[in-house]
């Protein structure tokens, strides 16, 4: 039962979070001062998401094999290689490091 | 179907393949943690948010209870609040339709649909979410059904896929040199907060780095 409550609660909360901005603030022009802020939000949120998913586990900071794998994938992406290749290389490098460790 | 929607579908496909692998590991981990395959699949169908699903799952699996799990998932998803606020002015329809269109927000679609001038292409946003939803759900189904046989998916390095996926989006943003210092600031804020706040909060707070955009 706990799991079904978790699923229902998370579904409702996620729908509400995604709807809040569009419902409350949509359909009108953004004031000019705000466009500069909005334009910078993608790099900021993505950078925060990447570093926290690589370097943290819960509330602990640390580096493990996956950081090396992600770095290898990132190098390929930087060189303009396809995303799917980069994620496969990231997974393979991580798996190999764990196999030998 | 208009051209922007079709273009969105095309752009979403690589992300749906990567999402398939992430949700495969979610499905496997869920059944290994005591979910039935149906529960794992329903969760992906109605939540469709990777980091939140892993967060909620790990808390319930550790015996933390449903409410803490829901709150942890909600905090992981708090970034969608910021994304929804950014998207809102680009949605011209009535409130109900806007609320429904907001459901298409997932990180890759939102980042790809951003035109870089503070506006978003809503058709492209919705188009790119479609293949990602299909990939997310089908990966979960395979993972949930094969879960017990797969064993520890960390062995396959699947946990490296999620960050690499977002790194791909970030690198595309960094081609604009003005993005680099604020991205670095956002990353630094998030990492500094990790030890002191529940997971998810550092990402939301990092959004304040975008306030330097006020100077332009």
């Amino acid at each position: 039962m706990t799991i079904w409550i978790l699923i229902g609660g998370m579904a409702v909360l996620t729908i509400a979070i995604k709807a809040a901005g569009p419902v409350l603030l949509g359909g009108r022009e953004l004031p000019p001062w705000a466009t500069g802020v909005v334009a910078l939000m993608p790099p900021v949120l993505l950078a925060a998401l990447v570093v926290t998913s690589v370097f943290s586990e819960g509330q602990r900071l640390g580096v493990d094999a996956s950081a090396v794998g992600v770095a290898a994938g990132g190098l390929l992406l930087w060189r303009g290689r396809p995303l799917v290749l980069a994620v496969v290389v990231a997974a393979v490098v991580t798996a190999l490091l764990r196999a030998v460790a | 179907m208009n051209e922007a929607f079709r273009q969105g579908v095309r752009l979403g496909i690589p992300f749906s393949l990567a999402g398939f692998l992430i949700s495969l590991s979610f499905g496997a981990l869920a059944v290994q943690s005591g979910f039935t395959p149906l529960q794992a699949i329903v969760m992906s169908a109605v939540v469709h948010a990777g980091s939140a699903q892993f967060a909620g799952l790990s808390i319930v699996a550790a015996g933390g209870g449903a409410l803490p799990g829901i709150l942890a998932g909600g905090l992981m998803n708090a970034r969608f609040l910021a994304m929804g606020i950014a998207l809102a002015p680009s949605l011209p329809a009535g409130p109900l339709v806007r609320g429904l269109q907001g459901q298409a927000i997932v990180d890759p679609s939102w980042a790809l649909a951003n035109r870089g001038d503070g506006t978003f292409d809503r058709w492209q946003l919705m188009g790119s979410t479609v293949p990602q939803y299909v990939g997310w759900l089908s990966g979960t189904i395979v993972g949930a059904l094969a879960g017990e046989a797969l064993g520890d998916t960390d062995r396959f390095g699947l946990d490296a896929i999620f960050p690499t996926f977002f790194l791909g989006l970030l690198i595309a943003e960094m081609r604009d040199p003005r993005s680099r210092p604020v991205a670095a600031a956002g990353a630094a804020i998030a990492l500094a907060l990790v030890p002191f706040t529940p997971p998810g909060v550092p990402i939301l707070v990092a959004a304040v780095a975008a306030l330097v955009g006020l100077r332009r």
Side-chain angles (χ1 to χ4, degrees):
Chain A
M1 199 59 213
T2 305
I3 293 172
W4 285 119
I5 296 170
L6 173 78
I7 293 169
M10 273 182 53
V12 170
L13 192 55
T14 303
I15 289 167
I17 289 169
K18 288 184 178 181
V23 169
L24 300 176
L25 299 171
R28 66 185 86 158
E29 282 284 302
L30 204 61
W33 59 264
T35 50
V37 176
V38 171
L40 288 178
M41 280 178 47
V44 169
L45 288 174
L46 292 167
L49 196 57
V50 169
V51 295
T52 53
S53 59
V54 175
F55 298 115
S56 75
E57 180 78 47
Q59 291 189 302
R60 277 187 307 110
L61 291 171
V63 178
D64 78 340
S66 71
V68 182
V70 173
L75 197 62
L76 292 173
L77 289 166
W78 187 252
R79 298 278 182 87
R81 299 290 191 276
L83 175 74
V84 176
L85 175 70
V87 298
V88 169
V89 167
V92 169
V93 168
T94 305
L96 288 175
L97 280 174
R98 287 196 181 131
V100 298
Chain B
M1 282 224 289
N2 63 29
E3 185 47 43
F5 187 91
R6 275 196 294 270
Q7 191 199 355
V9 172
R10 277 195 299 276
L11 290 171
I13 288 172
F15 291 95
S16 84
L17 297 175
F20 177 90
L21 294 173
I22 301 170
S23 62
L24 183 86
S25 64
F26 169 78
L29 187 65
V31 294
Q32 289 163 18
S33 309
F35 280 48
T36 65
L38 181 67
Q39 286 170 327
I41 294 162
V42 170
M43 192 182 205
S44 279
V46 299
V47 179
H48 186 202
S51 55
Q53 289 179 225
F54 279 107
L57 165 72
S58 65
I59 285 179
V60 168
L67 191 60
I70 293 166
L71 292 177
L75 288 173
M76 287 309 302
N77 279 344
R79 66 185 187 279
F80 295 139
L81 191 64
M83 293 182 188
I85 291 168
L87 171 69
S90 303
L91 303 178
L96 183 65
V97 173
R98 296 200 302 264
L100 285 172
Q101 290 175 335
Q103 301 309 309
I105 299 173
V106 286
D107 308 272
S109 304
W110 179 80
L112 294 170
N114 121 69
R115 296 195 183 101
D117 61 356
T119 67
F120 291 78
D121 185 325
R122 66 185 190 283
W123 291 106
Q124 193 197 306
L125 172 88
M126 293 185 275
S128 52
T129 297
V130 171
Q132 293 180 74
Y133 186 79
V134 173
W136 188 252
L137 198 54
S138 44
T140 308
I141 292 170
V142 174
L145 298 179
E148 300 294 351
L150 283 174
D152 178 12
T153 56
D154 277 4
R155 269 189 308 137
F156 308 117
L158 293 184
D159 55 321
I161 293 177
F162 181 82
T164 307
F165 180 89
F166 288 105
L167 192 55
L169 292 168
L170 176 62
I171 286 172
E173 292 290 335
M174 305 273 258
R175 306 247 181 245
D176 178 353
R178 286 174 310 177
S179 300
R180 292 172 197 166
V182 283
I189 293 168
L191 283 181
L193 288 175
V194 162
F196 308 108
T197 68
V201 173
I203 301 167
L204 183 65
V205 176
V208 302
L211 290 175
V212 302
L214 286 174
R215 288 188 294 121
R216 296 209 292 260

